[in-house]
Amino acid sequence: MALTKISVIIPTYHRNDLLAKCLDYLAPEKQILAVEQYEVIVTDDGVETTAEQMINEHYPWVKWVEGPHQGPAANRNNGAKYAQGEWLAFTDDDCLPKQNWLSSFVSAITSDVFVYEGKTTCEAGVNSPLEQAPLNLDGGWLWSCNMMIATKIFKKIGGFDESYPYPFMEDQDLRERIKKAGFSFPFIADAIVDHPPRKRVLGFKLGASWESFVYYWRRTNKKQSFKVKLIKEILMHHGVHVFRYPVSLDYINAMISLAAELAYVLLHIETWNKKYRSVEVMK
């Protein structure tokens, strides 16, 4: 019987220090899965610097490829083009895959399931309203920092949508297209990736990213109004996140950021509405 081969895709952009930690966890002597059953592809969007020299010197078992410089969705798709495996496992350059990450995915494979999602933790915890970390402790999210999909299915559904103006909502877009195509994605609790907390984008920059929400909404709910929903999403995602912390300097800065975020969205919401009014609905 032929061995299952997984291609691990890691998009990166000017974060060699974090990428090195990620690769250390994926080293052949660290992963339980046999080395001949997986490859690691780093697709690098770096401009000022890249990870090519670091990988050549310290991680010769990793394949480095130049990214397309069109954002993380395009960068992930780019990595998939070089994959030799029948499965694609996606994680991010600031993640720490546990030693049984890949072996747990392989053990879960059945003949009638083509997409799997792993468990994403944050062992260090998020201790400030100015930090964030994506969590997936019970399934249903299919975050691109911890998922595996059959290469043929990824190609069939068109990979990640590269049209999102900001790196936000493209995971949800892929998840919805996978559902519409009739594929389930069981949760593999032992396929664990830890995602240390990272600093949040703040203020107007965070507000600008909600343009991607409008694009996604038009792709999935074209005939429904999104304006009230958008404000609720901001308050639920970022307002509630801030309010759970005690008053401190970080709390005050987070509240200022939230006000700036809301102001930016309110100033641009009608422009976004007109811009994406004719977007084709997801099929």
Side-chain angles (χ1 to χ4, degrees), residues 93-147:
D93 60 2
D94 56 348
C95 290
L96 307 175
K98 298 299 184 180
Q99 63 179 1
N100 62 337
W101 178 50
L102 294 174
S103 61
S104 295
F105 273 142
V106 169
S107 297
I109 293 174
T110 60
S111 61
D112 59 344
V113 178
F114 302 98
V115 188
Y116 299 86
E117 65 173 330
K119 184 176 184 178
T120 304
T121 61
C122 180
E123 293 178 355
V126 177
N127 301 306
S128 165
L130 301 180
E131 295 179 341
Q132 65 177 359
L135 293 177
N136 186 7
L137 304 180
D138 302 302
W141 295 104
L142 202 65
W143 298 133
S144 60
C145 62
N146 189 1
M147 61 170 287

Side-chain angles (χ1 to χ4, degrees), residues 5-7 9 80-81 83-90 109-116 147-160 174 177-178 181 183:
K5 181 72 175 286
I6 299 176
S7 296
I9 309 299
K81 294 176 183 177
Q84 299 297 309
E86 63 263 38
W87 293 91
L88 304 173
F90 289 95
I109 293 174
T110 60
S111 61
D112 59 344
V113 178
F114 302 98
V115 188
Y116 299 86
M147 61 170 287
M148 186 176 77
I149 182 170
T151 304
K152 63 182 181 180
I153 300 303
F154 185 78
K155 292 179 179 179
K156 180 179 180 180
I157 64 175
F160 289 92
L174 181 70
R177 283 185 286 123
I178 286 172
F183 299 110

Side-chain angles (χ1 to χ4, degrees), residues 246-263:
V247 176
S248 64
L249 181 58
D250 280 3
Y251 177 90
I252 293 171
N253 286 332
M255 288 297 292
I256 293 172
S257 171
L258 178 61
E261 177 186 3
L262 283 167

Side-chain angles (χ1 to χ4, degrees), residues 3-28:
L3 290 175
T4 300
K5 181 72 175 286
I6 299 176
S7 296
V8 179
I9 309 299
I10 307 175
T12 193
Y13 178 74
H14 294 163
R15 297 202 292 196
N16 286 5
D17 54 339
L18 297 175
L19 175 63
K21 293 179 181 179
C22 178
L23 295 178
D24 287 341
Y25 277 75
L26 286 168

Side-chain angles (χ1 to χ4, degrees), residues 122-283:
C122 180
E123 293 178 355
V126 177
N127 301 306
S128 165
L130 301 180
E131 295 179 341
Q132 65 177 359
L135 293 177
N136 186 7
L137 304 180
D138 302 302
W141 295 104
L142 202 65
W143 298 133
S144 60
C145 62
N146 189 1
M147 61 170 287
M148 186 176 77
I149 182 170
T151 304
K152 63 182 181 180
I153 300 303
F154 185 78
K155 292 179 179 179
K156 180 179 180 180
I157 64 175
F160 289 92
D161 186 338
E162 301 177 11
S163 301
Y164 281 83
Y166 292 90
F168 177 45
M169 303 300 293
E170 66 268 28
D171 287 15
Q172 291 90 323
D173 184 289
L174 181 70
R175 183 182 68 218
E176 291 307 306
R177 283 185 286 123
I178 286 172
K179 287 181 179 179
K180 286 181 178 292
F183 299 110
S184 61
F185 43 92
F187 181 64
I188 312 303
D190 291 333
I192 301 172
V193 163
D194 190 62
H195 197 304
R198 60 191 178 195
K199 291 183 178 179
R200 298 167 63 89
V201 176
L202 299 174
F204 294 150
K205 289 184 178 180
L206 188 56
S209 70
W210 286 98
E211 182 180 348
S212 286
F213 176 91
V214 177
Y215 176 78
Y216 173 79
W217 188 264
R218 288 304 187 195
R219 290 261 291 152
T220 57
N221 300 274
K222 191 171 184 67
K223 294 183 179 180
Q224 299 179 27
S225 175
F226 65 86
K227 296 179 182 179
V228 173
K229 175 69 173 177
L230 175 52
I231 301 303
K232 286 183 177 179
E233 285 287 316
I234 294 172
L235 294 176
M236 286 299 295
H237 280 77
H238 301 155
V240 172
H241 175 75
V242 174
F243 297 147
R244 66 166 61 110
Y245 292 91
V247 176
S248 64
L249 181 58
D250 280 3
Y251 177 90
I252 293 171
N253 286 332
M255 288 297 292
I256 293 172
S257 171
L258 178 61
E261 177 186 3
L262 283 167
Y264 189 97
V265 168
L266 291 172
L267 284 170
H268 292 84
I269 196 168
E270 191 54 44
T271 300
W272 297 338
N273 183 34
K274 293 177 181 178
K275 182 176 181 180
Y276 297 112
R277 188 171 288 163
S278 60
V279 166
E280 182 179 357
V281 176
M282 185 185 299
K283 297 179 180 179

